[in-house]
Amino acid sequence: MSAEGTLRNTRSSERRFKYTLIAPSIFVLLLIGIFPLVYLLVVSFQGITMIDNDTSFHGLRNYAAMASDIRLWESLLHTLAFTAIALPLELILGLLMAQLFIDHLPGRQIFVALLVLPVVVSPIVAGATWSLMFDNRFGPINQIIGWIMGQDMTLLWTISPNLVYPAILAAEVWQWTPFMFLLLLAALSAVDKSQLEAASIDGAGYWRIFFRIVLPAIWPVMAVAILIRSLDLFRLFDIVWALTRGGPGTMTETISIFAYVKGFQQFETSYTGAVALMIIIMLSFVVIMALRRVELSR
């Protein structure tokens, strides 16, 4: 056998050996990822409820019921409303904070560490804390507003239809703006300073430099941050549950809370499976479109 053939056989053996080593890990990952999805698909075509363990094939009955479920589509609209408001706020505030701390300010590391603390707090704990702060009798927020207004203020933040959305958005933006801040700060730190100096010497203004140099440079990181937060906001549950339980009524019920109530309180298992599958398909579509757009913008 020639030396070239021997080398080719050696490389083929090494490749098979590598695949043999990683095959168990790939099998476990596929089992963990695919089996629940397949089981969810099977359950969604059955009729399992709290009082009936009917595993026979029911066709598209659960999916047809979704089309006429007004509460489901309202919860989806609530989720999209939270996402449409919270995401731009977190992005803008995170970018402003990153611009502020990009310079070497005195005590910069200490301030950055303090600003990041909300991210490490569990969302359910953060929601419970904000619930105490919004308390109409003993909460500090009403007391501070009362001091400013010069009179006692009894604002029902988690009950009043006019105040419940600002209360949830305040808690959500407070907790996750530091996440945007960290990613954008890292992106801004990697911008080529020589380009900024050259543009400044040529007489370019701040906004021209930002939109022509800084924004294109940080856009890949910003796009990933937007995608991550969009997916996270779409499954918003903890803070809303801790503050309002989806109330008043179902005014702040998100799609995750709707699925939780249907699946773990009303035990409509098969219907919840159909809802969960719909959510997975929607999120998968969003991720594919976002990644394709990021690839095209490079």
Side-chain angles (χ1 to χ4, degrees), residues 41-281:
L41 179 64
V42 172
V43 169
S44 69
F45 289 106
Q46 297 173 345
I48 303 175
T49 63
M50 180 173 61
I51 59 176
D52 188 6
N53 190 24
D54 185 2
T55 57
S56 61
F57 182 71
H58 284 252
L60 299 176
R61 189 182 68 177
N62 292 315
Y63 296 94
M66 287 169 51
S68 58
D69 192 341
I70 297 177
R71 182 177 172 183
L72 168 65
W73 299 110
E74 286 180 348
S75 66
L76 182 60
L77 287 176
H78 299 158
T79 305
L80 294 176
F82 282 125
T83 303
I85 298 173
L87 183 60
L89 287 176
E90 293 171 8
L91 178 63
I92 293 172
L93 292 176
L95 184 58
L96 292 175
M97 291 166 59
Q99 288 279 12
L100 177 63
F101 284 94
I102 192 64
D103 297 324
H104 295 284
L105 301 175
R108 176 174 177 265
Q109 294 180 344
I110 297 176
F111 283 114
V112 170
L114 291 175
L115 287 171
V116 174
L117 285 179
V119 179
V120 301
V121 177
S122 172
I124 196 69
V125 174
T129 303
W130 277 92
S131 180
L132 294 174
M133 293 176 65
F134 283 127
D135 186 79
N136 62 302
R137 293 183 61 190
F138 306 108
I141 293 179
N142 277 354
Q143 294 182 9
I144 293 172
I145 295 176
W147 293 337
I148 295 174
M149 301 298 294
Q151 59 182 351
D152 291 337
M153 300 294 295
T154 306
L155 300 176
L156 305 177
W157 290 95
T158 60
I159 299 176
S160 173
N162 296 325
L163 298 175
V164 66
Y165 266 78
I168 293 173
L169 289 169
E172 180 68 19
V173 170
W174 169 83
Q175 182 168 31
W176 292 107
T177 295
F179 172 80
M180 288 289 199
F181 160 66
L182 274 181
L183 293 182
L184 295 176
L185 180 63
L188 287 174
S189 300
V191 175
D192 189 356
K193 300 298 188 296
S194 62
Q195 293 185 7
L196 302 180
E197 293 173 358
S200 179
I201 292 173
D202 289 340
Y206 173 81
W207 291 110
R208 190 176 182 85
I209 293 175
F210 177 78
F211 284 108
R212 294 297 181 88
I213 299 176
V214 177
L215 190 59
I218 67 173
W219 171 246
V221 176
M222 184 182 293
V224 172
I226 292 172
L227 177 60
I228 293 174
R229 283 303 300 142
S230 298
L231 297 176
D232 203 29
L233 282 164
F234 195 86
R235 60 182 183 85
L236 181 62
F237 177 87
D238 308 75
I239 286 181
V240 180
W241 186 259
L243 283 173
T244 67
R245 296 290 196 277
T250 58
M251 185 176 176
T252 60
E253 186 177 64
T254 62
I255 191 68
S256 296
I257 293 178
F258 174 83
Y260 172 79
V261 171
K262 285 289 185 180
F264 296 98
Q265 292 187 350
Q266 300 177 3
F267 296 99
E268 298 183 21
T269 305
S270 292
Y271 183 73
T272 305
V275 173
L277 194 63
M278 180 197 71
I279 296 173
I280 292 173
I281 293 173

Side-chain angles (χ1 to χ4, degrees), residues 29-41:
L29 290 175
L30 290 175
L31 184 65
I32 294 174
I34 295 179
F35 175 76
L37 185 61
V38 173
Y39 183 73
L40 182 69
L41 179 64

Side-chain angles (χ1 to χ4, degrees), residues 219-221 223-224 227 286-298:
W219 171 246
V221 176
V224 172
L227 177 60
V286 170
V287 171
I288 291 172
M289 295 301 295
L291 292 178
R292 182 176 298 177
R293 183 156 188 174
V294 170
E295 289 292 332
L296 292 175
S297 64
R298 288 183 178 179

